[in-house]
Amino acid sequence: MNFKAELSAAIARALGDPQTDFEASIEMPPNPDLGDFAFPCFKLASKLKKAPALIARDLCEKLAPPSADSGTIDFVDQVRATGGYVNFFLDKAVYAKEILTGLLNNPETYGQSDLGRGKTIVLDYSSPNIAKLFHVGHLYTTVIGNALYNIFKYLGYNCVGINHLGDWGTQFGQLICAYKKWGSKEAVESEGISEMTRLYVKFHQEAETADSGPRADGVPSAPGLRDEARAWFVKMQEGDQEALTIWKWFCDLSLREYNLIYDRLGVRFDYFTGESFYNDKMEAIVRELKEKNLLTESGGAMIVDLEPYGMPPCLILRGDGGTLYPTRDIAAAVYRHKTFGFHKCLIVTAMDQSLHFAQWFKVVELMGYPWAKDLVHVPYGLVSLEEGKFSTRKGNAVLMEDLLNEAENKTLEIINERNPGLADKDRVARQVGIGAVVFNDLYNSRIKDVVFSWERVLNFEGETGPYVQYAHARAQSVLKKADPAEGHLDGRAIDFNCLTDAAAFEIIKLLAAFPDKIAEAASKYEPFVVTRHMVALAQAFNRFYHGNPILRSVGLTRTARLALTRAVKIALAAGLKLLGIQAPDEM
Ligand code: ARG
């Protein structure tokens, strides 16, 4: 049964306007005093030329049982008008039955929908720059993108996950140049990105210090060094074997390290098509921009003037003909639209790139592509580490490996304190430690700056990943102690009147709201809507658990409470999975 649809139909009948669908405006108030569902009458005021409170009162009179119409909404116990709202209080047992049977009979598809059927969402996330350390900011785009991927998929969208690696540009010329001068195959092979970073930093130091003139040790002075680096990049662009082999090697080694992180996070991509993938697609874009009279010359470079739109120009070609980050993004957008015919293309990056996206989105619009409106930049705020709490091996870029190791180690310590006899402790520590980090990243609205604090992240009692995982494990342990068939619906009569107390009913309402929360998270591109809902569900379950004996109750009460416990376990596992977090059965 779709309660909102039924209520909408009853409201429409009471208003004498049976054609109108009010479903979308029906709310689920968080405060139980305001009913289980609420209908705001404000929008009707001008149409009916009546004050919202008056409309609410009239509707209430027509809908409240035992009115003539009440038979049609027999799941409603009480209707009250509060200000401009009509508040509906459901018959709790009917509501519990409807929600729990739906969930327990179809645990695999709970909360899923086909909202997105036939529509494709392209998601561009993580996308680190090759040869550079993967830092906490990249962790953020990685987990947000992954959660959004899961959420949209759950809603029936076809999802395409793309890692748009930063694997092209002049910096690779510099890196090759530095490698040829100061590097060794062995060091790069064994140290990977750390060694590449060292070479890259060395290049810039040398270039700067050598600016003052020729040197005794034969290393060319800065202009010479920079020219050499540029020459290497030109070689790369021209398809020179040696240059490309070294470049490819840097890419492979970097990816090898990134993949270790992705594996630990359980994050997957459908494509690793980085910036270099668009090399052979850029000429056509530049030509198209020219044909559409969008290119202008400025100081030797080619730009699209965006002054009329209050933005600095979008750089397309450098003085030496090289393409730039925006050029590659435009080529990528055109390619993605042609290849996937996306409904939306989401790109998750730090907020400091907002102008870059606004600029090239505008260029795509000026090119005359109507789908420019479907390009969405999904920004997030700054991520920083609590002062002094985390040692950084490399300046201020935290090694992801260190961070994840630390999360696992600290979790293992906590497990050793709380539950030393736990089987498979290392695996659980991995699931909980990594889950804690991911959860923390998804706990707030994206735009909010995140300060990473171990104490908060790993707090089993706070609003954290471990807390939600623990509620899931608690539900599982209760079920394990019961007869495996108890709490299942098949063939068992459950008396839903046993689930009408405040604690149980709070859970029922949260379970009922879950599908709407997933849809809300998708429409706002905000996984935290799901995260917060999981915390609320875990808290409600813990209140229920402490207030109502489950295993120590008997008869129909015990069966009903076990059914509720099973439903909570299913919902928590589903929610955690959407967020990209594991749900261990024991911890
Ligand atoms: N490589 C960029 C960075 O590390 C992010 C790329 C995001 N995606 C894109 N299509 N621009 O900041």
Side-chain angles (χ1 to χ4, degrees), residues 323-387:
T323 58
L324 290 132
Y325 185 42
T327 330
R328 295 189 273 275
D329 261 333
I330 296 168
V334 170
Y335 171 83
R336 289 172 187 172
H337 193 266
K338 198 168 74 198
T339 311
F340 306 109
F342 56 70
H343 168 68
K344 295 269 180 228
C345 172
L346 315 182
I347 305 170
V348 188
T349 81
M351 203 159 34
D352 59 10
Q353 295 194 30
S354 293
L355 177 62
H356 160 76
F357 288 102
Q359 285 174 302
W360 75 258
F361 287 3
K362 191 73 195 171
V363 173
V364 175
E365 185 194 318
L366 293 173
M367 289 167 87
Y369 290 115
W371 48 262
K373 65 173 187 355
D374 303 321
L375 297 164
V376 185
H377 178 218
V378 180
Y380 58 83
L382 274 182
V383 190
S384 56
L385 293 154
E386 216 174 23
E387 210 54 49

Side-chain angles (χ1 to χ4, degrees), residues 191-265:
E191 297 298 316
I193 293 176
S194 302
E195 174 65 5
M196 294 180 218
T197 308
R198 187 189 71 82
L199 289 171
Y200 188 76
V201 168
K202 171 131 175 114
F203 176 90
H204 285 278
Q205 277 167 354
E206 293 288 338
E208 236 161 73
T209 48
D211 268 335
S212 33
R215 299 173 37 143
D217 59 5
V219 173
S221 63
L225 201 59
R226 294 217 168 90
D227 286 343
E228 261 186 78
R230 215 166 289 133
W232 275 110
F233 185 53
V234 170
K235 281 187 182 183
M236 280 170 62
Q237 285 180 313
E238 286 168 351
D240 174 83
Q241 266 312 313
E242 186 190 5
L244 286 182
T245 308
I246 303 176
W247 163 77
K248 181 83 181 28
W249 179 53
F250 289 149
C251 290
D252 291 346
L253 289 177
S254 303
L255 256 181
R256 195 166 74 191
E257 287 180 45
Y258 299 152
N259 276 327
L260 292 176
I261 297 165
Y262 295 141
D263 282 348
R264 290 176 77 175
L265 294 171

Side-chain angles (χ1 to χ4, degrees), residues 113-119 151-158:
S113 81
D114 59 358
L115 207 73
R117 190 167 357 145
K119 292 185 190 137
I151 287 169
F152 276 102
K153 211 172 160 74
Y154 212 63
L155 296 173
Y157 291 87
N158 173 39

